[in-house]
């Protein structure tokens, strides 16, 4: 099963603490260097208020496309940090961090990507035709083409970082620590939701939006455990962020882009349809579709069962530890 893949590498508890620190340094320190350089360059060349106090100020200084580019670079560097940590600190190949299958099943990725792309685009256009007054035509060819280039290349990398870090590295790490499946699922799903606390959506919509973020975390985590791999979660997450960035943005969202439409609706009026329907209706329906297509069984064991350390793998791990001493 998926979490047990970690037994194929070095899985001492302290390695995961060191690994998280390494990944954090790549993501939040090294990855943010391009953003700092871009801000400094703009301020020196064109002048600007040195007292920049918010993400909105930085975006206005750089422009939305450049800001999106340098922000996504940080996630790309973070993904490199995850891969380096897995390979060299845990001696675990990227394939084992991705799936239990003999090779990564890209057909699963593309099936979920296309399926959720069609569904999410349909939701946006249905909303547009029902409430046209809440949308503004925002299309500008040149900025949109730049957005497409940046988004198509880097947004899947950004979402892959989040999947490999939460559903991959942390899921396996907490599994090694707690020796069960439900605790990693719970911690990574809640942690994924809490990561979005800094998003402007939380300020605008209130903490009720956390139901959506945490619910999405559980949805992605359940997919990963039931399917024994990250492929479905990678496809879903990439489609969700990419099509949203290209089609519609708003002044109060984390992704403010040169999208085709701008959402003019009052964010304080969002509620049941936007938050509760996806989590409690759409996501369970998708899990049902996936379960039928990929013949998922033994739900209780895969989601809540205990982990049993293979004896032969345990001996290999102890020998590796002795060799290090």
């Amino acid at each position: 099963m998926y979490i047990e893949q970690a037994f194929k590498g070095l899985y001492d508890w302290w390695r995961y603490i060191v690994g998280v620190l390494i990944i954090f340094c790549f993501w939040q320190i090294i990855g943010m260097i391009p953003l700092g350089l871009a801000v400094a360059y703009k301020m020196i060349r064109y002048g600007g208020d040195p007292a920049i106090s918010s993400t909105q100020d930085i975006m206005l200084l750089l422009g939305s496309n450049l800001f999106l580019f340098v922000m996504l670079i940080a996630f790309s560097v973070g993904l490199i940090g995850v891969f380096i940590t897995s390979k060299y600190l845990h001696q675990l190949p990227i394939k084992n961090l991705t799936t239990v299958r003999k090779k990564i099943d890209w057909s699963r990725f593309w099936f979920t990507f296309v399926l959720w792309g069609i569904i999410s685009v349909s939701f946006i256009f249905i909303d547009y035709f029902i409430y046209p007054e809440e949308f503004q035509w925002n299309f500008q060819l040149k900025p949109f083409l730049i957005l497409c280039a940046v988004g198509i290349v880097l947004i899947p990398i950004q979402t892959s970082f989040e999947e490999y870090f939460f559903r991959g590295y942390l899921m396996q790490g907490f599994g090694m620590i707690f020796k069960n499946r439900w605790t990693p699922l719970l911690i990574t799903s809640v942690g994924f939701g809490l990561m979005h606390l800094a998003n402007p959506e939380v300020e605008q919509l209130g903490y009720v939006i956390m139901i959506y973020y945490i619910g999405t975390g559980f949805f992605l985590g359940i997919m990963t455990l039931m399917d024994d791999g990250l492929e479905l979660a990678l496809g879903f997450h990439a489609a969700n962020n990419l099509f949203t960035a290209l089609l519609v943005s708003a002044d109060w969202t984390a992704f403010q882009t040169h999208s085709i439409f701008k959402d003019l609706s009052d964010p304080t009026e969002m509620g049941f349809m936007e938050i509760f329907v996806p989590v409690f209706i759409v996501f369970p329906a998708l899990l049902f579709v996936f379960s039928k297509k990929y013949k998922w069984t033994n739900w209780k064991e895969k989601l809540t069962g205990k982990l049993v350390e293979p004896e032969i793998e345990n001996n290999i791990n102890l020998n590796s530890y002795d060799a290090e001493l």
Side-chain angles (χ1 to χ4, degrees):
M1 293 184 182
Y2 177 70
I3 294 180
E4 284 88 336
Q5 291 290 92
F7 286 129
K8 297 179 179 180
L10 302 177
Y11 51 89
D12 312 272
W13 63 268
W14 60 266
R15 293 179 185 274
Y16 287 97
I17 295 177
V18 174
V20 169
L21 293 175
I22 292 173
I23 294 167
F24 184 84
C25 288
F26 268 83
W27 174 27
Q28 288 292 308
I29 298 177
I30 300 175
M32 287 297 179
I33 291 176
L35 174 62
L37 292 176
V39 170
Y41 173 78
K42 284 284 188 176
M43 292 182 67
I44 292 172
R45 181 165 183 178
Y46 300 108
D49 185 359
I52 294 177
S53 59
S54 68
T55 302
Q56 184 72 17
D57 294 337
I58 298 175
M59 190 188 70
L60 290 174
L61 177 66
L62 300 182
S64 64
N65 276 337
L66 178 57
F67 176 73
L68 180 66
F69 174 75
V70 293
M71 284 298 294
L72 294 178
I73 287 293
F75 290 95
S76 304
V77 175
L79 183 61
I80 293 172
V82 174
F83 289 165
I84 289 175
T85 301
S86 177
K87 183 175 181 178
Y88 294 103
L89 183 61
H90 298 276
Q91 297 183 14
L92 191 71
I94 303 307
K95 196 277 292 183
N96 294 101
L97 192 64
T98 308
T99 184
V100 303
R101 287 167 275 277
K102 292 182 179 180
K103 60 181 181 179
I104 297 174
D105 186 354
W106 290 106
S107 67
R108 278 171 151 83
F109 172 92
W110 287 114
F111 174 77
T112 315
F113 182 90
V114 172
L115 176 63
W116 186 243
I118 292 172
I119 293 173
S120 59
V121 169
S122 299
F123 283 160
I124 290 172
F125 278 101
I126 289 172
D127 207 25
Y128 172 74
F129 284 114
I130 295 176
Y131 306 105
E133 70 280 359
E134 295 184 352
F135 290 85
Q136 175 182 306
W137 183 256
N138 193 50
F139 179 76
Q140 300 177 59
L141 180 59
K142 184 177 179 180
F144 180 75
L145 291 177
I146 296 173
L147 170 64
C148 286
V150 172
I152 291 171
V153 174
L154 292 180
I155 286 179
I157 295 177
Q158 173 247 326
T159 56
S160 294
F161 164 72
E162 295 182 8
E163 291 309 309
Y164 272 103
F165 183 55
F166 283 97
R167 255 67 61 182
Y169 189 78
L170 291 184
M171 183 86 81
Q172 291 186 353
F174 284 122
M176 296 301 97
I177 293 171
F178 293 102
K179 297 298 187 293
N180 63 47
R181 296 182 178 84
W182 70 267
T183 306
L185 175 61
L186 175 64
I187 294 176
T188 57
S189 299
V190 174
F192 177 77
L194 294 178
M195 181 189 71
H196 295 82
L197 272 174
N199 283 14
E201 290 94 331
V202 177
E203 181 180 352
Q204 292 292 329
L205 304 175
Y207 290 109
V208 68
I209 190 63
M210 298 306 296
I211 294 174
Y212 175 79
Y213 289 134
I214 295 175
T216 302
F218 273 105
F219 168 65
L220 294 168
I222 291 170
M223 273 201 300
T224 299
L225 292 180
M226 290 305 304
D227 200 52
D228 285 326
L230 288 174
E231 295 98 332
L232 296 180
L234 288 168
F236 175 90
H237 204 161
N240 185 74
N241 285 26
L242 177 60
F243 287 107
T244 300
L246 295 179
L247 285 177
V248 60
S249 65
D251 293 335
W252 43 269
T253 59
F255 273 1
Q256 297 182 34
T257 64
H258 287 286
S259 55
I260 295 176
F261 297 107
K262 177 172 284 191
D263 186 353
L264 302 178
S265 63
D266 184 354
T268 61
E269 296 179 358
M270 290 182 65
F272 181 79
M273 290 297 296
E274 295 82 2
I275 297 173
F276 293 94
V277 168
V279 173
F280 296 107
I281 297 178
V282 178
F283 292 168
L286 285 174
L287 290 175
F288 176 78
V289 171
F290 295 142
S291 71
K292 294 302 181 182
K293 179 175 177 59
Y294 298 112
K295 298 178 174 58
W296 294 348
T297 59
N298 202 12
W299 287 69
K300 183 178 180 180
E301 175 63 23
K302 284 193 170 184
L303 297 181
T304 66
K306 294 182 179 180
L307 300 182
V308 178
E309 185 174 356
E311 187 65 28
I312 184 171
E313 296 294 344
N314 185 48
N315 291 336
I316 291 174
N317 189 269
L318 290 176
N319 291 337
S320 299
Y321 179 74
D322 291 338
E324 290 176 354
L325 292 178

